[in-house]
């Protein structure tokens, strides 16, 4: 009874109000003087620094920077740095996935081995590890294949087998794999358990479930920190001098400055190339992230409210009636 | 042997028990589901309905008793009087004949509706991709979603997602379909479209076990209604009979709350 009353009253009441255009608010903008002052100060400091760098500091020697920026030695050095980064990251990712899967294994021995690996390689400085890898040919003079405690079938001299470049890659990769393992593990754990169940219920085996269902989804979580690791690796390669491998970008820059007695311009040259490569890697990361974000983007039109559903929440004749029915019937019927 | 196959029940449980630690979830369940039969499992939450369903495709391992699907032991192999654990590969093969639909759909979010349906056949079945795709489109048409084939799950409503999940479960041509509360996660207005698809499936002669709270569906579609509570089968029989004239006090109490 009250219901019908209210609805009748509500629709009557709504007619004059509903279609009136609401007036746009013409507010005076709130001022932020400190923001502006802070910005001006920052710009001033930056400008002063740039001016000073360009004209007052002969030690930067910009002419020298220009002269060596495209020097062949520098360019091949950048090439070696890039190779070190790419090779060691590829090995680190493969090894990292393996260690991550091992850590999630039901076999306690496998789990423990993975844990010890992580403990060892994350717990010691990468510089120390690289020095150690450099000593490997001295400690293990030959690599023998055969049955232990008997005469070896084949024997290789470690020095001939492993160049300093290879040792640098191994050192960087094994260290990085420990970090990658944790990143991959976090990614695998981030995938909903229902996904695994759905795949298993379809009759997929472990490998298919991993490669087609779990890993592609884990990638969304894995890629951003991995991009971080790649960029970090690019710069860590400057430590390979510990092996000693000296043909990388920083090693080459230092070699040149040892002859010219001008270290600062060569540091700038090296930095410019590190920045260039980092920028390229960042672009690559953007596209990778986009690829693995499939299916999680903004919802297209289907999910936007249709005419019918949107009408429910809109304050119109129906909305006003609903409100009238909610409150007291009298209030709705007032006018 | 082929003649007797048809006489073997699709699912047979004999004194099946399952516990999680010291918590006994299923206590000596004995049940039979014939070929083409639709069985609805109802009961309060925690009564073991879902666990029983998950035992049937070996997502859970049973602790005691025997469970056969189409005459084969689930998850085990019998030689003489010895029981051997099955290799995961064999278990996976066994699951291909059993489709399962989950309460939370569990569609693969990085794949479109069509890719969801096609994934298992592409990986596990031989045959041309084009043929598999045609078949997948047929299945999507069957659940009324062929025009949504290139949508990602996030872009589909709950009801549509569950229908894609049903199509995906059908893609391996299962002889048995399990539904684990397929409409419980849906908005009330979307329940009907999923139940309609399931009804169509039942009419086509599929053997189905459905854990549900939809008594209307149970009454209309099920051949048998099983009421479970506390890990045991309290009452079973013709759904109309059980729903309108329950024999046990426990069944009466439950039905008075949900009907």
């Amino acid at each position: 009874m009250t219901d019908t009353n209210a609805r009748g009253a509500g629709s009557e009441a709504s007619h004059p109000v509903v279609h009136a255009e609401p007036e746009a608010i013409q507010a005076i903008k709130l001022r932020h003087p400190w923001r502006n002052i802070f910005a001006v100060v920052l710009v001033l400091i930056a400008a002063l620094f740039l001016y000073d760098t360009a004209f007052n500091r002969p030690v930067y020697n910009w002419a020298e920077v220009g002269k060596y920026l495209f020097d062949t030695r520098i360019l091949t050095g950048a090439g070696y740095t890039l190779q070190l980064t790419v090779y060691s990251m590829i090995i680190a990712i493969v090894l990292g996935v393996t260690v991550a899967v091992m850590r999630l294994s039901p076999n306690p021995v496998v789990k423990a081995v993975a844990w010890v690996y992580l403990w060892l390689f994350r717990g010691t400085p990468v510089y120390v590890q690289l020095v150690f890898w450099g000593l490997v040919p001295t400690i293990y003079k030959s690599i023998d294949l055969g049955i232990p405690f008997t005469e070896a079938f084949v024997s290789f001299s470690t020095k001939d087998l492993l160049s300093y470049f290879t040792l640098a890659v191994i050192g960087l990769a094994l260290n990085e794999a420990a970090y990658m393992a944790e990143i991959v593990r976090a990614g695998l754990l981030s995938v909903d358990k229902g996904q695994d169940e759905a795949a298993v219920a379809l009759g997929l085996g472990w490998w298919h479930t991993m490669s087609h269902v779990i890993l592609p989804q884990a990638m969304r979580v894995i890629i951003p920190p991995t991009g971080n690791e790649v960029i970090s690796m690019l710069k860590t390669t400057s430590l390979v001098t510990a092996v000693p491998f000296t043909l990388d970008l920083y090693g080459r820059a230092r070699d040149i400055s040892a002859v010219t007695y001008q270290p600062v311009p060569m540091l700038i040259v090296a930095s410019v190339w590190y920045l260039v490569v980092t920028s390229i890697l960042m672009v690559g990361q953007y596209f990778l992230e986009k690829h693995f974000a499939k299916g999680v983007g903004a919802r297209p039109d289907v999910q936007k409210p249709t005419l019918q559903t949107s009408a429910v929440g809109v304050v119109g004749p129906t909305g006003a009636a609903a409100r009238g029915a909610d409150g007291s019937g009298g209030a709705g019927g007032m006018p | 042997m082929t003649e007797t196959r048809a006489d073997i029940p699709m699912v047979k449980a004999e004194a099946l028990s399952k516990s999680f630690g010291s918590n006994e979830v299923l206590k000596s369940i004995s049940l039979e589901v014939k070929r083409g039969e639709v069985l609805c499992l109802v009961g309060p939450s925690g009564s073991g309905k879902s666990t029983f369903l998950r035992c049937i495709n070996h997502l859970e391992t049973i602790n005691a008793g025997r469970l056969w699907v189409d005459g084969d032991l689930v998850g085990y192999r019998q030689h003489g009087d010895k029981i051997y654990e099955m290799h995961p590969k064999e278990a996976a093969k066994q699951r291909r004949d059993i489709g399962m639909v989950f309460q939370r759909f569990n569609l693969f979010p990085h794949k479109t509706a069509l890719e969801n349906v096609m994934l298992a056949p592409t990986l596990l079945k031989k045959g041309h991709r084009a043929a598999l795709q045609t078949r997948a489109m047929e299945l999507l048409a069957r659940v009324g979603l062929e025009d949504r084939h290139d949508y990602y799950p996030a872009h589909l409503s709950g009801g549509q997602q569950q229908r894609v999940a049903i199509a995906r479960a059908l893609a391996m041509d299962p002889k048995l379909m399990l539904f684990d509360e397929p409409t419980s996660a849906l908005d009330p207005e979307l329940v009907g479209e999923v139940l309609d698809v399931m009804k169509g499936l039942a009419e086509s002669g599929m053997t189905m076990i459905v854990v549900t709270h939809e008594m209307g569906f149970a009454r209309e579609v099920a051949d048998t209604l099983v009421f479970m509570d506390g890990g045991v089968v309290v009452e079973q029989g013709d759904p109309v009979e059980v729903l309108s004239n329950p024999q046990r006090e426990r069944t009466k109490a439950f039905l008075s709350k949900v009907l």
Side-chain angles (χ1 to χ4, degrees):
Chain A
M1 198 181 77
T2 350
D3 200 347
T4 22
N5 237 340
R7 191 170 301 155
S11 49
E12 267 170 33
S14 58
H15 277 304
V17 226
V18 168
H19 294 295
E21 274 293 323
E23 197 183 325
I25 297 172
Q26 303 283 342
I28 292 156
K29 285 249 186 296
L30 181 63
R31 300 205 181 276
H32 299 280
W34 286 106
R35 262 189 219 174
N36 300 336
I37 290 167
F38 190 55
V40 169
V41 169
L42 279 182
V43 169
L44 271 178
I45 292 175
L48 276 173
F49 177 76
L50 283 179
Y51 176 83
D52 180 71
T53 314
F55 303 108
N56 290 350
R57 307 281 156 185
V59 72
Y60 283 127
N61 200 344
W62 293 102
E64 186 87 351
V65 171
K67 188 172 150 199
Y68 285 104
L69 193 57
F70 295 101
D71 189 283
T72 352
R73 284 169 292 177
I74 291 292
L75 291 181
T76 46
Y80 271 118
T81 289
L82 199 59
Q83 282 185 52
L84 283 169
T85 309
V86 171
Y87 296 158
S88 51
M89 270 323 284
I90 290 172
I91 298 172
I93 288 169
V94 173
L95 201 59
V97 172
T98 314
V99 174
V101 171
M102 282 169 75
R103 277 206 77 186
L104 299 172
S105 156
N107 183 337
V109 176
V110 171
K111 219 177 194 164
V113 167
W115 187 87
V116 168
Y117 178 89
L118 236 77
W119 174 75
L120 190 66
F121 282 91
R122 276 200 320 184
T124 53
V126 64
Y127 191 87
V128 174
Q129 289 175 30
L130 286 171
V131 173
F132 180 83
W133 283 105
L135 294 174
V136 160
T138 330
I139 305 170
Y140 304 94
K141 288 203 166 49
S142 65
I143 295 172
D144 302 337
L145 291 180
I147 301 155
F149 310 113
T150 61
E151 195 71 29
F153 300 141
V154 223
S155 181
F156 302 100
S157 154
T158 313
K159 242 195 183 98
D160 301 339
L161 200 65
L162 303 170
S163 66
Y164 282 138
F165 178 80
T166 317
L167 286 169
V169 168
I170 293 173
L172 291 171
L174 291 193
N175 177 261
E176 183 57 34
Y179 293 93
M180 281 309 303
E182 287 298 270
I183 291 171
V184 172
R185 190 170 71 105
L188 294 178
L189 291 177
S190 76
V191 180
D192 182 45
K193 206 175 162 289
Q195 294 292 310
D196 181 61
E197 276 187 356
V200 168
L202 280 171
L204 300 188
W206 181 87
W207 177 250
H208 279 150
T209 303
M210 216 27 144
S211 58
H212 286 79
V213 177
I214 308 291
L215 263 182
Q217 293 183 60
M219 286 309 255
R220 247 169 39 75
V221 176
I222 292 173
I223 284 176
T226 302
N228 237 359
E229 292 299 311
V230 174
I231 288 165
S232 167
M233 174 61 86
L234 177 77
K235 292 166 300 176
T236 309
T237 57
S238 63
L239 297 180
V240 292
T241 172
V243 171
F245 178 79
T246 50
L247 297 178
D248 72 302
L249 178 54
Y250 178 61
R252 264 335 192 36
R254 226 180 16 205
D255 283 351
I256 295 171
S257 62
V259 179
T260 61
Y261 294 112
Q262 294 213 45
V264 179
M266 292 321 295
L267 288 179
I268 295 173
V269 166
S271 300
V272 166
W273 282 108
Y274 281 120
L275 278 172
V276 167
V277 179
T278 303
S279 309
I280 296 169
L281 292 175
M282 282 167 80
V283 174
Q285 181 181 351
Y286 168 82
F287 284 105
L288 263 183
E289 275 179 31
K290 223 171 131 181
H291 173 78
F292 283 105
K294 267 194 306 188
V296 288
R299 299 180 155 200
D301 303 338
V302 248
Q303 284 288 293
K304 301 247 168 72
T306 57
L307 250 149
Q308 284 152 344
T309 49
S310 68
V312 175
V314 164
V315 182
T318 33
R323 260 194 288 156
D326 278 346
S328 69
M334 270 240 284
Chain B
M1 189 177 161
T2 23
E3 308 117 55
T4 52
R5 270 266 154 168
D7 305 332
I8 300 171
M10 184 57 87
V11 178
K12 187 177 176 192
E14 216 174 73
L16 186 159
S17 295
K18 165 76 189 169
S19 21
F20 294 106
S22 60
N23 179 20
E24 200 173 16
V25 184
L26 297 174
K27 296 166 190 162
S28 191
I29 302 264
S30 294
L31 262 182
E32 260 193 42
V33 185
K34 290 190 278 294
R35 270 154 216 285
E37 186 178 345
V38 176
L39 182 139
C40 276
L41 269 173
V42 301
S45 53
S47 58
K49 307 165 298 211
S50 291
T51 307
F52 178 64
L53 209 64
R54 292 162 60 84
C55 287
I56 294 173
N57 70 351
H58 200 46
L59 281 179
E60 304 288 353
T61 313
I62 61 175
N63 299 114
R66 292 282 187 278
L67 178 64
W68 293 269
V69 169
D70 203 14
D72 296 322
L73 273 180
V74 173
Y76 296 98
R77 192 155 288 289
Q78 190 160 12
H79 288 301
D81 54 352
K82 284 214 172 99
I83 298 268
Y84 298 89
E85 258 185 49
M86 216 179 230
H87 191 274
K89 272 189 185 152
E90 274 180 281
K93 208 174 232 168
Q94 211 171 36
R95 286 194 191 97
R96 284 170 210 168
D97 290 335
I98 306 170
M100 183 150 185
V101 175
F102 297 87
Q103 182 178 354
R104 308 245 16 130
F105 330 135
N106 295 351
L107 287 181
F108 305 132
H110 60 301
K111 292 186 178 292
T112 62
L114 182 66
E115 288 168 348
N116 262 279
V117 177
M118 281 182 68
L119 179 68
T122 318
L123 294 176
L124 305 172
K125 274 188 174 175
K126 291 181 184 83
H128 264 287
R129 203 182 152 76
L132 293 175
Q133 183 161 343
T134 317
R135 164 89 178 119
M137 283 303 281
E138 276 168 22
L139 286 169
L140 281 176
R142 193 164 166 187
V143 299
L145 286 171
E146 52 189 332
D147 57 330
R148 291 279 188 272
H149 68 91
D150 58 347
Y151 281 59
Y152 285 102
H155 304 156
L156 296 169
S157 73
Q160 291 170 335
Q161 286 189 52
Q162 194 59 297
R163 281 145 68 197
V164 173
I166 293 173
R168 180 178 70 174
L170 290 171
M172 289 304 290
D173 300 308
K175 43 192 178 193
L176 167 68
M177 283 285 283
L178 309 174
F179 294 84
D180 189 3
E181 302 198 24
T183 58
S184 296
L186 295 176
D187 290 344
E189 52 175 353
L190 303 176
V191 168
E193 64 188 55
V194 173
L195 291 183
D196 283 346
V197 168
M198 289 168 62
K199 205 172 130 186
L201 200 57
E203 278 160 5
S204 75
M206 176 64 76
T207 314
M208 292 162 59
I209 304 180
V210 186
V211 172
T212 187
H213 295 296
E214 297 293 331
M215 296 303 159
F217 175 82
R219 189 197 303 266
E220 195 185 341
V221 181
D223 300 304
T224 313
L225 186 86
V226 173
F227 174 69
M228 279 178 76
D229 187 27
V232 295
V233 172
V234 175
E235 192 164 349
Q236 62 173 310
D238 178 70
V240 179
E241 194 71 15
V242 175
L243 287 173
S244 54
N245 188 21
Q247 298 299 308
R248 302 296 188 90
E249 282 308 315
R250 187 66 197 86
T251 321
K252 280 179 196 166
F254 175 75
L255 290 177
S256 71
K257 276 180 204 143
V258 295
L259 284 181

